[in-house]
Amino acid sequence: MEIAGIFLIFAALCYGVELIFPYMAGYCETLEVFYLLFAVLTLVFQVLRRDPSPPPVTAPPAK
C-alpha cells in the first residue's frame, strides 16, 4: 500500500485525537477527509503507473 497506507494511518490518528479531545472535532474531521482523499488519489496513481505484467512464457513448438 506504500504511501496510501501512511495517509490511512494519519486518518486513524486524527480519529483517535478526535475521540480523546472532542473540542478538536472540526479540525480532525477536515484532516480526515483530506487524508482519505489523498489515500484514494495515491492508490489510483499507483494502479495507473504500475508496470504491465510480462507476457506469459510459452513452450517452444514441438518438432
Side-chain angles (χ1 to χ4, degrees), residues 1 3 5 25-26 43-44 51 55 63:
M1 206 180 323
I3 191 130
L43 282 173
V44 168
D51 294 331
K63 292 184 179 183

Side-chain angles (χ1 to χ4, degrees), residues 9-59:
I9 290 170
F10 285 163
L13 288 174
C14 275
Y15 184 71
V17 168
E18 185 179 346
L19 290 175
I20 296 170
F21 305 108
Y23 59 89
M24 296 183 68
Y27 299 115
C28 289
E29 287 175 3
T30 303
L31 286 174
E32 288 169 10
V33 170
F34 281 120
Y35 289 148
L36 292 175
L37 286 175
F38 290 148
V40 169
L41 283 174
T42 56
L43 282 173
V44 168
F45 288 148
Q46 286 177 0
V47 168
L48 293 177
R49 293 180 52 98
R50 72 174 174 213
D51 294 331
S53 58
V57 177
T58 57

